[in-house]
Amino acid sequence: PPEAIRAMGDKANARRTVQANGVPVLPGSSEPVGSRDEATQLAEEIGLAGGLGFEGQEHAPHAVVVTHYGGPEVITAIEEDIPTPKAGEVRVKVLAAGVSLPDVLAREGVHPETPRVPYTPGWDLVGTVDQLGEGVTGFELGQTFAAMPIHGCYAQYVCVPRRKLVPVPAGLDAAEAVAVVLNYITAYQMLLDR
């Protein structure tokens, strides 16, 4: 219903991001939102109960999965193998993933670009190059990039086609940078489609 969509938009008024350690931050800041309890409460409000749960890197990598369409209760964190990039892909270690209204709408199954379940949500990311697929040149391990694959970003590692990666200037905070990706594209499209 429109009232529910407006309420979700109010909660996500200023687009919030979640760093890979699961602590939400506000755009323009690298500081966590209040205390750990407040961060967990915020994550629960936007549908990430308990945050992303990526702490403790000594275990298998984690990803967030939507098992079926619905509310926050359909989200679960799973352990998964580190993906291997295919030819033309770059494996990115995710530093920050955006959290936006389209993520919520996709989780509910009402966004036009909703993937089939089960899927890993996450519209956009900022991360570092971790491994290159066959035939990929012009990238250096550890280099920071942004991407907007539309889903799959709520994971520790994501394989992305090289053409979808945009370099992030050195020294820019990952959480601040990811707050620009979807917002910039949306504003740009609105200006072109007016």
Side-chain angles (χ1 to χ4, degrees), residues 17-112:
T17 60
V18 177
Q19 292 179 329
N21 66 1
V23 179
V25 298
L26 293 173
S29 169
S30 59
E31 295 299 313
V33 177
S35 68
R36 183 75 174 173
D37 290 341
E38 291 171 318
T40 300
Q41 180 181 357
L42 172 60
E44 288 171 353
E45 286 178 15
I46 58 177
L48 296 174
L52 292 179
F54 291 166
E55 296 175 24
Q57 299 284 332
E58 63 278 353
H59 300 292
H62 289 80
V64 171
V65 174
V66 172
T67 56
H68 56 282
Y69 303 123
E73 69 281 355
V74 304
I75 297 174
T76 187
I78 63 165
E79 289 185 354
E80 66 175 6
D81 293 333
I82 296 175
T84 302
K86 298 175 186 164
E89 290 184 335
V90 174
R91 184 171 69 203
V92 176
K93 182 175 182 181
V94 177
L95 299 175
V99 177
S100 63
L101 182 59
D103 292 310
V104 174
L105 297 176
R107 184 196 71 220
E108 293 176 342
V110 298
H111 193 281

